[in-house]
Amino acid sequence: MSRHAERFPTIKAGGRMMDLLDRIKGLNITLLGDLQFVNDWEYFTQEPDKHLEQLTTTGPYAGTLEAFTTGVKLRTRYDHLLNDSANARTTLWASDSARVIDTARYFSAGFFGIDWQKPANLVIIPETGDLGGDTLTPGDTCSKYHKDLIHGHNYGANMLARFQSTYLGAIGDRLEQQNPEIRFVNSEVYSMQEMCGFETTVRGGSQWCDVFTQQDWLDFEYARDVIHYYRTGPGNPYGPVMGWLWLNATTNILSAGPSAGPLFFSFVHDGDIIPMLAALDIFHDAVDLPVTHVAESRRWRTSQITPMGGRVIFERLRCPHRSKADKERQGIYVRINVNDGIVAIPSCKAGPGESCLLSDFVKLVERRGKELGDFRQMCGLGKDAAEGITFLHQ
């Protein structure tokens, strides 16, 4: 399961950035100090209607380059599996978003070759609200998730605002001391921090990054953790049950073994990967993330879990029997690779390389499904709605 590669800001975030720049320009002042560069700086796209929300295509961190390179990297790692399926086309799935679809296409060119449409078939799954559980984007189909104004979709943004109030004001004070003619509100300071990353993906670097201290960036990192933890992650009551849909479908594939097919690729958004990881409970924090201060020892770090182009790979391993006991346990394991690093499931890591015995993994996922409850009931959907994913098959 992969997130789309590096992109321009969303329309909403990009709009906030341009509003800030328009306000600065409208005051007709010369900025000093850390913001002096802004006097001659231009926004990183002159065609926002064309670029916002789409993959970046320039610079060393271009989204198109990232997706293609990832395809080459995974072809190198899993080439033996592709050879096993030489006589059959491989189906890939992407949710119906331009940046997600483009990521799947550039990835496929890197993995299968420039004529990827011959050995592979890309299926687009709509991002509509009428699919029930048969979707890659359950956040679009879970009705209660959007109607619940307290603990639904808006929960992340509300908790983010609470944490932002603990650190952004001090940055605004510092910038005001350098520029007494303008006072930046918290949302504007946050947009400045966001421009550092987004400009870097377009141009390869950004002077906005130098405006802030190391502590400012540690606070920003935590702010990103907070919004996703409470929007669709472990801190949201709807997140894990939404993520269990894809987790369960993938568990069925792993259980079926080679007969199901050797390779499965799903391309989605970070808001679809995070619920799945919450369902698996692989990055477990004993207490929810506080919003009064940074939890230094937290396991949930969005930058390491779902960066742009981030991916989670479930590997089915058949390991040599080292003993009679191993043989009795079948020697089939599940290993989880998150962004090229092996991550152990806390409650199931007795296998080789901290992998999980397949039969134990199946039981774990089944148990989590019972704990989380029925997706349709949790989301306020009728019994006629699809119960789960049916399209993940080769």
Side-chain angles (χ1 to χ4, degrees):
M1 177 178 258
S2 173
R3 184 187 181 190
H4 58 73
E6 287 79 357
R7 60 163 171 78
F8 284 90
T10 61
I11 293 174
K12 187 175 182 179
R16 287 195 298 265
M17 295 172 188
M18 290 184 286
D19 287 344
L20 167 61
L21 297 172
D22 287 343
R23 186 165 87 88
I24 294 173
K25 184 177 181 180
L27 291 174
N28 196 30
I29 60 176
T30 299
L31 294 174
L32 304 173
D34 293 331
L35 296 179
Q36 185 175 358
F37 76 93
V38 180
N39 296 314
D40 302 312
W41 184 80
E42 291 187 359
Y43 193 54
F44 42 83
T45 173
Q46 300 306 306
E47 298 180 279
D49 291 342
K50 175 182 177 181
H51 288 147
L52 290 184
E53 304 205 356
Q54 307 307 314
L55 294 187
T56 56
T57 58
T58 59
Y61 311 114
T64 51
L65 177 62
E66 165 71 20
F68 179 83
T69 302
T70 298
V72 174
K73 181 187 298 184
L74 295 192
R75 172 62 181 264
T76 303
R77 185 184 303 167
Y78 300 116
D79 183 63
H80 63 291
L81 296 180
L82 184 63
N83 290 338
D84 287 345
S85 60
N87 297 323
R89 296 181 76 194
T90 299
T91 298
L92 305 88
W93 297 267
S95 65
D96 193 7
S97 166
R99 60 183 178 270
V100 176
I101 295 171
D102 286 344
T103 297
R105 288 170 173 164
Y106 278 97
F107 170 88
S108 296
F111 191 92
F112 297 101
I114 198 67
D115 295 323
W116 64 268
Q117 290 174 309
K118 293 180 181 178
N121 175 44
L122 179 60
V123 175
I124 311 302
I125 305 300
E127 295 185 353
T128 55
D130 59 345
L131 299 182
D134 201 14
T135 179
L136 285 177
T137 53
D140 293 320
T141 67
C142 185
S143 180
K144 279 189 177 180
Y145 174 65
H146 291 279
K147 293 179 180 179
D148 186 342
L149 301 181
I150 304 299
H151 292 108
H153 179 271
N154 294 336
Y155 193 23
N158 293 338
M159 296 297 273
L160 169 66
R162 290 174 61 182
F163 176 71
Q164 286 176 322
S165 67
T166 69
Y167 84 96
L168 290 176
I171 301 175
D173 292 341
R174 185 173 75 231
L175 297 177
E176 186 177 18
Q177 289 177 357
Q178 299 173 5
N179 298 276
E181 295 176 278
I182 185 171
R183 171 70 191 186
F184 298 106
V185 299
N186 286 354
S187 61
E188 292 174 325
V189 176
Y190 195 72
S191 287
M192 295 179 192
Q193 290 193 293
E194 289 183 311
M195 281 193 280
C196 161
F198 282 113
E199 184 180 18
T200 298
T201 67
V202 177
R203 293 172 173 163
S206 175
Q207 290 175 281
W208 286 105
C209 303
D210 298 326
V211 173
F212 304 96
T213 67
Q214 182 180 15
Q215 185 58 53
D216 294 337
W217 286 119
L218 291 173
D219 289 334
F220 179 79
E221 177 192 36
Y222 189 70
R224 301 304 301 170
D225 295 344
V226 166
I227 188 172
H228 290 293
Y229 184 89
Y230 287 104
R231 175 179 284 171
T232 57
N236 187 290
Y238 299 93
V241 73
M242 294 192 297
W244 189 83
L245 297 172
W246 188 91
L247 177 62
N248 181 57
T250 298
T251 301
N252 292 336
I253 293 169
L254 294 169
S255 297
S259 63
L263 297 164
F264 290 78
F265 301 101
S266 298
F267 295 88
V268 291
H269 305 270
D270 56 350
D272 307 305
I273 299 175
I274 289 172
M276 185 273 293
L277 292 173
L280 189 57
D281 199 25
I282 195 170
F283 295 102
H284 180 77
D285 287 292
V287 296
D288 286 337
L289 299 187
V291 293
T292 55
H293 62 279
V294 174
E296 301 287 355
S297 61
R298 69 195 182 280
R299 293 203 68 203
W300 187 268
R301 294 179 183 270
T302 304
S303 59
Q304 298 178 19
I305 298 172
T306 53
M308 293 188 190
R311 55 196 172 274
V312 181
I313 301 173
F314 289 74
E315 299 174 325
R316 187 182 191 274
L317 310 176
R318 181 181 294 276
C319 300
H321 303 314
R322 295 175 297 178
S323 66
K324 183 178 179 180
D326 278 350
K327 187 173 183 179
E328 291 173 352
R329 290 167 67 84
Q330 299 180 358
I332 300 176
Y333 301 86
V334 174
R335 185 172 69 174
I336 299 176
N337 183 315
V338 181
N339 302 318
D340 298 330
I342 302 303
V343 179
I345 301 173
S347 62
C348 188
K349 54 181 180 179
E354 294 192 316
S355 60
C356 178
L357 188 68
L358 175 59
S359 58
D360 290 341
F361 181 80
V362 172
K363 292 175 183 176
L364 182 152
V365 173
E366 289 176 348
R367 183 173 65 251
R368 282 292 284 165
K370 292 177 181 178
E371 293 172 355
L372 297 171
D374 180 74
F375 172 79
R376 294 175 298 182
Q377 182 177 357
M378 184 72 176
C379 293
L381 305 178
K383 291 185 178 181
D384 57 333
E387 184 177 11
I389 294 175
T390 62
F391 52 80
L392 283 180
H393 54 81
Q394 293 294 353

